[in-house]
Amino acid sequence: MDITDRKNILIIEDDDSVAEGLADILAGYGYNALKSSNASDSIQKLSDNRIDLIVLDVHLGDENGYELCKKIRMDSDIPVIFLTACNSEMELIRGFQSGGDDYVTKPFRMQELLVRIQALLRRTARSGHEKKITGELELDINRCHIFKNKKSVELSTTEWRIAAVLIEHYPAAVSREELLYQVWDKDAMYVEENTLNVNISRVREKLGRYDGQQYIETVRGIGYRWSVDVK
């Protein structure tokens, strides 16, 4: 394999012996392994290098891995595998909520970590992490997330679905009935009329305006339409 085709994996681990061991084994399997022991250096390495996947220890000296993952997620969708000595359900949930893609508990078998790395890299290559740009917004379709000027916009699942459906249909308008069905699926018949209005208002408020206009416009007699060009 040509060295330019190798995947770059960033190991963020403050235990030098663990980091060295991981780097050596990953190199033996054809990966380029970069090492970092703290948050600030990790951010710098992400800026200076093309990183394909991150192996992130939860417990770092200057900052915990969950908080670092949140910072990474503000402008990057690079796959993240957490390493941790904790295997409680709450820790698992916390890891995924902070933006992690997978979770390996210490002590772990290296073969297990390698399989998880390979699976994540295949999934990333297959999905392509599709993104769309509209006004000041960037949509990460695969992660169901919206960034505004590189900052995360906190939307509920319902609010995200509303925005995603309208963007998918741009520049056409979407009827209220169709929007209800696509957002709430089989439960749409039980959703009150005002529920859609409230959620539309919340999305508008959270996304703000672009060049003086709202991202979602009301089309009288039909429903709603995404009003800003989508690329």
Side-chain angles (χ1 to χ4, degrees):
M1 179 187 294
D2 189 289
I3 193 169
T4 58
D5 296 328
R6 292 181 179 180
K7 298 296 184 181
N8 295 322
I9 297 179
L10 176 60
I11 302 167
I12 306 176
E13 166 66 69
D14 64 352
D15 186 321
D16 291 339
S17 61
V18 173
E20 286 287 351
L22 284 174
D24 288 344
I25 294 173
L26 289 173
Y29 279 85
Y31 297 106
N32 292 323
L34 291 79
K35 295 174 296 178
S36 179
S37 61
N38 59 69
S40 58
D41 181 60
S42 300
I43 296 298
Q44 189 62 51
K45 279 187 168 60
L46 285 167
S47 175
D48 295 341
N49 301 274
R50 176 186 62 80
I51 302 298
D52 298 292
L53 184 141
I54 299 169
V55 176
L56 173 57
D57 188 18
V58 168
H59 300 292
L60 300 174
D62 59 340
E63 184 173 14
N64 73 61
Y66 300 132
E67 294 304 315
L68 177 55
C69 189
K70 289 179 183 178
K71 290 182 179 179
I72 292 171
R73 282 289 170 259
M74 292 179 68
D75 58 9
S76 172
D77 57 6
I78 298 170
V80 174
I81 297 179
F82 277 114
L83 296 181
T84 179
C86 302
N87 62 356
S88 70
E89 183 178 359
M90 288 306 298
E91 289 295 309
L92 288 170
I93 292 172
R94 189 179 178 190
F96 288 121
Q97 286 180 336
S98 67
D101 297 276
D102 207 345
Y103 209 96
V104 177
T105 304
K106 298 178 180 178
F108 58 87
R109 291 184 293 272
M110 192 62 205
Q111 196 60 41
E112 176 188 359
L113 178 60
L114 286 167
V115 168
R116 291 178 182 271
I117 287 172
Q118 292 164 0
L120 264 180
L121 289 173
R122 283 197 304 271
R123 191 188 312 164
T124 303
R126 185 168 60 247
S127 67
H129 285 288
E130 182 184 357
K131 293 184 179 180
K132 293 183 182 293
I133 305 295
T134 172
E136 296 175 322
L137 307 179
E138 178 180 298
L139 282 79
D140 187 326
I141 304 300
N142 297 95
R143 295 188 181 279
C144 303
H145 214 88
I146 292 180
F147 298 90
K148 182 175 184 179
N149 296 325
K150 300 298 183 181
K151 294 183 178 180
S152 177
V153 179
E154 296 301 323
L155 297 178
S156 69
T157 301
T158 297
E159 292 163 355
W160 157 259
R161 287 176 179 170
I162 288 172
V165 169
L166 292 174
I167 289 170
E168 180 183 351
H169 286 79
Y170 175 85
V174 181
S175 69
R176 292 178 63 86
E177 293 75 16
E178 180 67 15
L179 196 53
L180 283 166
Y181 177 76
Q182 292 206 36
V183 173
W184 281 275
D185 194 23
K186 62 181 182 296
D187 296 321
M189 65 180 69
Y190 305 110
V191 177
E192 295 182 3
E193 184 80 5
N194 191 50
T195 300
L196 179 58
N197 297 339
V198 170
N199 278 279
I200 289 286
S201 296
R202 287 175 178 167
V203 177
R204 283 172 169 163
E205 180 180 355
K206 290 180 179 182
L207 298 184
R209 293 174 175 267
Y210 179 70
D211 282 349
Q213 65 178 332
Q214 293 179 323
Y215 283 93
I216 300 174
E217 66 178 1
T218 301
V219 181
R220 292 187 179 278
I222 299 179
Y224 300 95
R225 174 184 175 273
W226 194 264
S227 63
V228 179
D229 185 43
V230 178
K231 301 176 183 178

